[in-house]
Amino acid sequence: MSALLGLTPSEAKVSALLAEGRSVREIAAATGLKESYVRWLLKQVYRKLGLSGQVALVQRILAAYTLPGS
């Protein structure tokens, strides 16, 4: 996903976990990162992709991985 959306591996990981429906707290626990760092990574993702929040990010991720005709 990182190459497809132009994200770093860390940004891609937290984005994928967010798209799975996990909270910032759950993402931090699953990755061993601090919650503040997870929030910072997500802000970087929103900025890089020109998005304004979680819903837009999840939509972008789903659109990037939805195959035509599926």
Side-chain angles (χ1 to χ4, degrees):
M1 175 167 72
S2 59
L4 182 62
L5 295 175
L7 304 175
T8 67
S10 295
E11 292 167 345
K13 177 80 171 173
V14 298
S15 296
L17 291 170
L18 188 75
E20 289 177 1
R22 297 193 191 197
S23 68
V24 169
R25 179 175 286 160
E26 292 168 333
I27 294 168
T31 59
L33 301 172
K34 292 185 176 188
E35 287 181 41
S36 60
Y37 186 60
V38 171
R39 284 189 194 89
W40 182 83
L41 285 171
L42 290 171
K43 286 180 185 179
Q44 296 305 305
V45 171
Y46 301 149
R47 183 188 55 77
K48 280 185 178 182
L49 300 179
L51 303 173
S52 61
Q54 180 177 342
V55 173
L57 176 58
V58 172
Q59 289 172 335
R60 176 72 59 91
I61 291 169
L62 293 176
Y65 288 95
T66 301
L67 298 174
S70 59

